[in-house]
Amino acid sequence: MTAAHRRFVAAVVFAVAGLLLGIGAVPAAAAAGTASVRLANLSPDTPPVDVRVDAAADPAASFTVADLGYGTIWDYRPLAPGSYLVSMRAAGAPPDSPPLVSTTVDVRAGGAYTVAGTGLRAKLALTVMDDGAGTPPTGRASVRVVNAAASVTPAVDIAPAGQAAWATGVQFARVTGYRDSPPGDWQLTVTAEGEPAATLPVSLEADASYTVLLLDRDGGVAAELYRDGAGAARQGGAEAGAAQGGIGLAAALGVLATVVVVLAGGLFARRAATRRAAR
């Protein structure tokens, strides 16, 4: 093997080592050092909104989620620990215009939060929910209820068939605490005085926490289940997202291939130049 070949192999080895270290180390650091925050519009009579998150310590980390309609819970987004100003404006409104409502949110490393517009528009508020508060005992699941359905009054009860109620008398714009539940598949029933019952099949995993979200849909109440925490997906619906950090394996392999091509191209170019000089 020539000296040029040896240098080429060494460069590839260093590139591979660096990428493998990145695959292993970056996600772990991100998981340990960031928080997860998701945004929602849970106000039935509020048109779509733009939600702005301003980072006090790092303006470059600020971002906006545009055109957030009623009943929408946006993806979790990783954020550095610290203080953030969350402002809700009508969709398309200038970013420097007075917000409909705003609040300050302090997030901690490893925490997970939902910041949602709640209530009717006349009394719109931003509610901050601690999605990490429902860590269940080992082998159990944890469930809370968010009532964003203004059409059912005065309150609703939520219970899985054959089990104690998860929540009773839940009024509009209220968020219950988490309740422990056995994991498994359940048929959830939502009842309110004078209203037909709504049902939702749910599957709860052990050691996971969930939100049952009640919404006004098609003249009645509908129930949706979200998994809380850094990874979340709505059952029976669109993906709600996950907070992820670092470089994935497929991306790493793509970068590695590029590195190899570039290094090989450089080596072959030098060898061609050497042959031309020797003629």
Side-chain angles (χ1 to χ4, degrees), residues 66-131:
D67 204 28
L68 199 62
Y70 168 64
T72 302
I73 295 184
W74 199 251
D75 297 357
Y76 276 106
R77 185 180 180 116
L79 293 178
S83 182
Y84 295 84
L85 177 65
V86 181
S87 305
M88 183 173 283
R89 295 175 174 84
D96 57 351
S97 63
L100 299 172
V101 64
S102 64
T103 191
T104 299
V105 182
D106 296 317
V107 303
R108 66 182 185 277
Y113 307 86
T114 298
V115 183
T118 58
L120 296 177
R121 186 173 185 178
K123 295 183 178 180
L124 185 64
L126 280 173
T127 299
V128 181
M129 308 175 204
D130 186 350
D131 299 348

Side-chain angles (χ1 to χ4, degrees), residues 173-200:
R174 296 295 175 86
V175 180
T176 72
Y178 283 96
R179 179 187 178 94
D180 295 339
S181 174
D185 298 327
W186 306 103
Q187 189 70 25
L188 184 65
T189 302
V190 182
T191 56
E193 184 177 348
E195 297 287 342
T199 59
L200 173 70

